[in-house]
Amino acid sequence: MLKRVLIANRGEIALRIIRACRELGIETVAVWSQADESALHAQMATRSLCIGPAKAADSYLNQDAILSAALATGCDAVHPGYGFLSENPDFADRCVQAGLKYIGPAGDVIRRLGSKAAARTLAQSAGVPVVPGSDGPLKNVRQAQKLAGEVGYPVLLKASAGGGGRGMRQADGPEDLDRAWQEARAEAVACFGDGELYLEKLVVNPRHIEFQIMADTQGHVVHLGERDCSIQRRRQKLVEESPSKALTPTLREEMGRAAVAAAAAAGYVGAGTVEFVLAPDGSFYFIEMNTRIQVEHPVTELVTGVDLVKEQLRVAAGLPLSFAQESIEVSGHAIECRINAEDPERNFLPCPGTTAFLHLPGGPGVRVDTALYTGCEVPPYYDSLVAKVLVHAPTRLEAIRRMRRALEELIIEGYPTNTSLAHLIMHDAEFVRGQYDTGYLDRNLEKLLELARTCDRLMEGAS
């Protein structure tokens, strides 16, 4: 087993990794920027070091500083978490070259799957269905126009090196394509330093279904069921649940086999997620594979009882998976709501600030992953995610009711959050029936915000 792990991340995921390491008897080294000097992950690790100024480019993205810290503290492995350097193949390569275990897939695998066009080709070679579109990167907008005419509008232009909804634009007709091309390419260059684009037919009103996989160095690849991530804002996930109400047992088995086939074809090792869109007619298509632990991984942990972070550490140490496909059983229902420091009334403007007061929900079947504490600062330099509220219950309806109760107990004062919006989603008939798709929030946002305003007025009147 590993002896000492450097965590190249911050916030709740850094704490999540620290806790898993402590339970396995592994020492941890936290790195922090000057903005995170009093952050919880810096306080809870066995040892912590400052690696630079507040901006991520000077700290959490500074490969030289992170590798120097790992070597100076005698670490034998690096865990990248999610975000930052977690899907950077050069960083994975440099860790290995420095004699460190990289807790994730090899650099060449990240590189292959990080190019969405290359990942699409790989999935096709494994017999996994893909959305009709370009077989590789497009050379220019004229090529995009020709292909769009062949597959039919609407289409989606996507950055080959993209992720998290960045570098992606929709074109509903020929008149939209040139603008969509310019915008997608500009954002792709700004976010990923790579303007390469490819094109896909847009599946209208799909469900976004992802399968969690784990693979070891002995060639075992197992999936741990699906998560439904269709409640999104600008392709950023807000609510995730498992199992998905949209899947029949037969469809679940078919998609699970496809996820395993895609991971096996890539020579994958570690935790990963194979993402699909599910069309209203029941057909499904591979869209990408994320080569890291996901924000929403606790949803799978709650329904399977598998500690995915501990399993990552075991696999990185060369141990085989602690389970086989036939031993994975999904029990009950789990839901996660992402709580962000942002103002839904101001187009979800990020709202950093000081946490003036904090009260976290508890009770049966409630889990909160957060790095918040009363008095802590939420800096303006990083993602606005401040907490993940999760519930587990025997049935989906019981899980929804439990989430309502948990969100009612959650108090975060000092800056706006999206807690009220999440609470209203849990009461919305479309969500409760499980008949939503990725267009849910576009259709319902204004209605939900007006309900929030009404509730606020009633509360003010009552006081």
Side-chain angles (χ1 to χ4, degrees):
M1 182 52 75
L2 304 172
K3 294 182 178 179
R4 187 174 298 151
V5 173
L6 182 136
I7 301 157
N9 217 296
R10 64 179 301 278
E12 65 86 15
I13 188 59
L15 288 182
R16 172 72 186 87
I17 298 164
I18 289 170
R19 287 169 174 147
C21 287
R22 288 183 68 177
E23 291 181 16
L24 291 172
I26 300 171
E27 294 182 358
T28 54
V29 175
V31 292
W32 46 273
S33 73
Q34 290 173 355
D36 277 339
E37 183 174 1
S38 59
L40 211 51
H41 76 282
Q43 301 176 48
M44 284 185 60
T46 311
R47 185 174 174 184
S48 65
L49 292 87
C50 180
I51 52 167
K55 289 185 179 178
D58 299 324
S59 52
Y60 297 108
L61 292 173
N62 187 334
Q63 297 186 31
D64 291 336
I66 290 170
L67 290 170
S68 295
L71 295 173
T73 53
C75 290
D76 50 4
V78 173
H79 196 309
Y82 57 70
F84 294 128
L85 295 169
S86 64
E87 292 183 283
N88 186 309
D90 296 332
F91 181 63
D93 288 341
R94 290 189 65 186
C95 286
V96 174
Q97 290 161 7
L100 299 163
K101 295 276 189 184
Y102 178 78
I103 301 176
D108 63 335
V109 174
I110 299 174
R111 201 169 280 112
R112 194 179 314 132
L113 293 171
S115 166
K116 302 302 184 286
R120 171 189 169 88
T121 301
L122 185 144
Q124 285 177 300
S125 71
V128 178
V130 299
V131 181
S134 55
D135 291 328
L138 298 165
K139 295 179 181 178
N140 50 53
V141 70
R142 291 186 301 278
Q143 192 178 18
Q145 290 166 342
K146 182 176 184 297
L147 182 59
E150 294 171 1
V151 302
Y153 288 91
V155 297
L156 207 56
L157 288 166
K158 303 172 77 172
S160 287
R166 304 293 187 185
M168 191 182 299
R169 291 295 186 276
Q170 178 177 336
D172 295 319
E175 67 280 3
D176 301 325
L177 196 64
D178 186 66
R179 172 194 51 79
W181 174 274
Q182 300 300 333
E183 291 180 0
R185 191 173 188 282
E187 188 171 57
V189 170
C191 292
F192 312 112
D194 184 347
E196 198 172 75
L197 302 177
Y198 70 106
L199 179 145
E200 287 181 347
K201 168 75 176 173
L202 179 65
V203 180
V204 180
N205 298 326
R207 298 285 277 246
H208 185 147
I209 308 292
E210 62 185 26
F211 272 73
Q212 177 69 56
I213 65 100
M214 283 292 307
D216 61 24
T217 54
Q218 285 78 18
H220 305 116
V221 184
V222 174
H223 79 79
L224 296 95
E226 83 279 3
R227 297 183 291 256
D228 195 322
C229 305
S230 303
I231 303 292
Q232 303 177 2
R233 177 186 64 85
R234 296 177 185 166
R235 300 186 177 88
Q236 301 285 317
K237 302 165 188 173
L238 292 179
V239 178
E240 300 98 352
E241 63 177 313
S242 181
S244 171
K245 196 171 172 60
L247 300 193
T248 63
T250 300
L251 185 54
R252 179 173 290 110
E253 185 177 347
E254 188 178 350
M255 294 179 77
R257 282 199 305 267
V260 168
Y268 200 86
V269 172
T273 306
V274 183
E275 305 207 5
F276 300 97
V277 288
L278 175 65
D281 65 1
S283 56
F284 66 91
Y285 306 98
F286 170 90
I287 49 173
E288 64 180 340
M289 184 168 181
N290 291 310
T291 56
R292 52 174 165 79
I293 197 78
Q294 293 277 91
V295 175
E296 60 273 20
H297 77 272
V299 174
T300 297
E301 293 184 328
L302 289 176
V303 294
T304 63
V306 174
D307 188 317
L308 294 172
V309 178
K310 284 185 180 178
E311 207 64 31
Q312 283 187 295
L313 296 163
R314 284 176 50 86
V315 167
L319 298 173
L321 293 178
S322 62
F323 50 82
Q325 188 65 69
E326 54 270 20
S327 65
I328 296 298
E329 293 183 8
V330 171
S331 174
H333 199 93
I335 303 173
E336 173 181 287
C337 289
R338 300 191 191 190
I339 306 302
N340 299 316
E342 62 187 14
D343 188 352
E345 289 284 3
R346 292 193 289 166
N347 198 27
F348 296 88
L349 179 73
C351 297
T354 302
T355 309
F357 179 79
L358 175 69
H359 180 269
L360 300 178
V366 177
R367 167 177 168 176
V368 183
D369 284 15
T370 184
L372 291 182
Y373 59 87
T374 298
C376 79
E377 292 289 329
V378 176
Y381 309 102
Y382 317 117
D383 188 86
S384 62
L385 178 71
V386 293
K388 302 180 321 198
V389 177
L390 297 111
V391 298
H392 181 247
T395 67
R396 184 173 186 270
L397 183 56
E398 288 175 285
I400 291 172
R401 288 171 172 164
R402 183 160 284 170
M403 180 60 82
R404 293 171 184 169
R405 188 264 296 171
L407 292 172
E408 287 161 8
E409 291 182 21
L410 177 66
I411 302 173
I412 303 174
E413 294 182 352
Y415 39 82
T417 72
N418 63 334
T419 305
S420 294
L421 176 61
H423 188 245
L424 288 168
I425 290 172
M426 292 298 115
H427 287 82
D428 187 70
E430 193 174 338
F431 177 80
V432 173
R433 289 194 299 265
Q435 297 174 345
Y436 59 89
D437 54 51
T438 55
Y440 167 84
L441 213 52
D442 288 337
R443 294 190 301 271
N444 293 292
L445 181 59
E446 188 50 47
K447 176 189 75 173
L448 293 168
L449 291 179
E450 182 53 41
L451 280 171
R453 296 180 199 115
T454 301
C455 290
D456 288 343
R457 287 194 293 269
L458 289 173
M459 292 294 289
E460 289 172 4
S463 62

